[in-house]
Amino acid sequence: MHEPALPHLHDQDPEIAGMVEDEARRQYEKLRLIASENYVSPAVLEAAGTVLTNKYSEGYAGKRYYEGQQLVDPIETLAIDRAKALFGVEHANVQPYSGSPANLAVYMAFLEPGDPVMGLSLPMGGHLTHGWSVSATGKWFRPVRYDVRADTGRVDMDQVRDLALKERPKLIWCGGTAIPRTIDFPAFAEIAREAGAVLAADIAHIAGLIAGGAHPSPVGHADVISTTTHKTLRGPRGAMVMSTAEHAKAVDKAVFPGLQGGPHNHTTAAIAVALKEASQPGFATYARQVVANAKVLAAALTDRGYDLVSGGTDNHLILIDLTGKGIGGKPAAQALDRAGIELNYNAVPFDTRKPFDPSGLRVGTAAITTRGLGEEHMPRVAAWMDEVVQAASKQDESAVERVAGQVRELLASYPMPGWTPAP
Ligand SMILES: *Cc1c(COP(=O)(O)O)cnc(C)c1O
């Protein structure tokens, strides 16, 4: 049963209620290894499902365009104060609807259309919004792309420096969606200073690790920091843009009225709740466990002959290169999903296959760590993955089904925030 319970929804719209319950069961029964996903707490779910969704609040606390902000103002202010305290930043804007609009706000704050922007290229682990060609950010600005090194799988900082000095981007992004290694914020900051560029750290994936002290912080190095709130930070779907006091006005003006209308107040409340949760000592333990689990899983996969981009991980994320395994990422991911192991196919650096059927699998440990799995479970997870990848190459569907049953059996001992099976 969903927690909080959904009695009115079941009455009013059993079709949707049924699918929500089924989705909850799916999340309960699967080993969720999608690196950008998590399980939020019932408290976050409750906050996100409140009457705050009824309220329009264009503007900022004390400067709104609609009346009736007696409670929304202090809620948003609390979310901001918690973000500032948790990350140690001078300014936070909690209104961006999601990570992509948050990043667009960074462009709006610092660039004019056509200005050069530098980011890690998408197939190397960067994000669409860092200037990739199909994104507005790649069409409306002039993208300059850096890569990872073929020999190390890590960002090529020499190339970053050379390109920055040659192309003089106005904005440099560090961070991405498929980076298994620590981001060297001080090194990026030095290059940005030399090149006269604004440095933006996109910590969407690692915000929770930073909050929990399991990854170095960009604060003091980056001029502006964007993040989603729903990945390792374990909040509702949403985003924040944080900055030094110097850039506060530009950031706020870019989010509203630059790009958005009314903020999603129910999401703001849920972000505030998630930030409170992330400031408690248990969250630091969680963040460290996420990384510990990823490291053990990476080692176990390596032992089984899997080739990992960069040879391992420093964070929550593992990028597997299946090139030597004789199977593409897509059929492997599909078989793994049938086996109750949910992840996504992903390009690997210098991928020779097409984006719709690339060579890699991306794995993350944020959600399974929330579920309560520890290092002791990781060798078994690696063994299951290996079994399914081999079964998929041989079209052995019975092995896939056997693993699905074993996964369900293991997970039945680990409660899921937000859903409990009927007794
Ligand atoms: C997930 C992600 C985003 C975008 O977030 P959405 O909420 O999906 O728009 C932006 N940047 C990075 C690095 C991400 O991983």
Side-chain angles (χ1 to χ4, degrees):
M1 208 181 71
H2 199 275
E3 189 190 15
L6 313 168
H8 304 90
L9 188 59
H10 278 284
D11 258 9
Q12 177 61 34
D13 192 337
E15 209 178 347
I16 288 291
M19 286 191 279
V20 172
E21 296 283 357
D22 288 351
E23 167 62 13
R25 174 187 291 280
R26 193 194 66 77
Q27 293 184 15
Y28 178 80
E29 290 181 344
K30 278 193 176 165
L31 207 46
R32 298 176 57 231
L33 296 176
I34 292 182
S36 50
E37 295 185 359
N38 214 323
Y39 295 93
V40 300
S41 70
V44 167
L45 289 175
E46 285 178 6
T50 58
V51 295
L52 292 167
T53 196
N54 297 340
K55 186 77 199 100
Y56 243 104
S57 310
E58 282 187 355
Y60 293 102
K63 295 168 294 221
R64 306 278 188 188
Y65 291 80
Y66 296 78
E67 298 311 315
Q69 311 297 342
Q70 289 83 358
L71 288 313
V72 167
D73 275 6
I75 287 169
E76 187 174 323
T77 302
L78 195 50
I80 290 168
D81 288 345
R82 287 176 180 171
K84 284 160 71 173
L86 181 64
F87 288 97
V89 289
E90 293 171 354
H91 180 68
N93 186 309
V94 298
Q95 293 191 3
Y97 301 141
S98 211
S100 303
N103 285 355
L104 208 52
V106 172
Y107 287 83
M108 183 98 191
F110 297 104
L111 270 60
E112 296 293 331
D115 278 345
V117 55
M118 198 163 118
L120 179 61
S121 79
L122 182 80
M124 301 272 170
H127 192 259
L128 280 165
T129 56
H130 298 179
W132 195 242
S133 44
V134 296
S135 154
T137 62
K139 290 181 191 292
W140 298 345
F141 301 92
R142 181 168 72 76
V144 178
R145 299 184 185 111
Y146 59 88
D147 302 314
V148 300
R149 287 176 61 103
D151 55 345
T152 62
R154 297 174 188 238
V155 170
D156 187 341
M157 295 307 293
D158 295 330
Q159 184 203 23
V160 172
R161 185 169 180 278
D162 291 347
L163 275 174
L165 294 180
K166 182 164 154 263
E167 304 284 347
R168 296 282 164 176
K170 267 207 185 162
L171 175 70
I172 298 176
W173 286 104
C174 58
T177 55
I179 303 176
R181 294 297 182 174
T182 301
I183 299 166
D184 190 347
F185 298 119
F188 272 102
E190 202 181 311
I191 292 167
R193 219 172 10 252
E194 245 186 299
V198 169
L199 179 64
D202 182 345
I203 60 168
H205 262 266
I206 54 175
L209 305 184
I210 291 169
H215 187 290
S217 168
V219 176
H221 306 293
D223 302 288
V224 58
I225 300 165
S226 71
T227 185
T228 57
T229 47
H230 48 270
K231 299 178 184 176
T232 54
L233 191 55
R234 217 162 63 179
R237 299 198 88 84
M240 308 193 289
V241 179
M242 300 178 278
S243 73
T244 54
E246 184 193 349
H247 300 303
K249 255 211 177 109
V251 165
D252 282 355
K253 271 177 63 182
V255 174
F256 175 87
L259 284 167
Q260 300 189 168
H264 295 180
N265 297 316
H266 54 304
T267 302
T268 304
I271 289 174
V273 174
L275 291 169
K276 182 174 183 185
E277 291 175 356
S279 69
Q280 287 159 0
F283 196 82
T285 310
Y286 164 69
R288 279 194 298 273
Q289 190 62 53
V290 168
V291 176
N293 284 351
K295 283 180 186 291
V296 175
L297 181 56
L301 287 165
T302 303
D303 284 347
R304 291 181 173 274
Y306 285 83
D307 183 10
L308 309 186
V309 172
S310 84
T313 182
D314 297 326
N315 54 32
H316 64 302
L317 188 147
I318 298 164
L319 197 52
I320 304 171
D321 184 346
L322 290 173
T323 303
K325 291 284 179 186
I327 183 168
K330 193 173 191 171
Q334 288 169 339
L336 283 159
D337 189 53
R338 291 197 300 278
I341 300 172
E342 185 188 4
L343 41 66
N344 64 281
Y345 61 85
N346 211 97
V348 296
F350 310 100
D351 209 318
T352 51
R353 298 170 69 108
K354 297 200 170 65
F356 282 124
D357 184 20
S359 304
L361 297 173
R362 191 182 69 157
V363 175
T365 51
I368 59 169
T369 305
T370 296
R371 199 69 190 267
L373 299 195
E375 286 138 280
E376 68 275 22
H377 300 108
M378 296 304 117
R380 198 163 0 146
V381 172
W384 279 331
M385 290 173 67
D386 188 23
E387 196 178 336
V388 175
V389 167
Q390 291 190 38
S393 329
K394 295 182 296 209
Q395 260 113 52
D396 175 3
E397 207 50 34
S398 68
V400 170
E401 272 161 38
R402 191 171 59 242
V403 171
Q406 291 167 350
V407 167
R408 269 199 304 277
E409 198 178 302
L410 172 73
L411 289 177
S413 309
Y414 294 87
M416 165 181 153
W419 195 74
T420 38

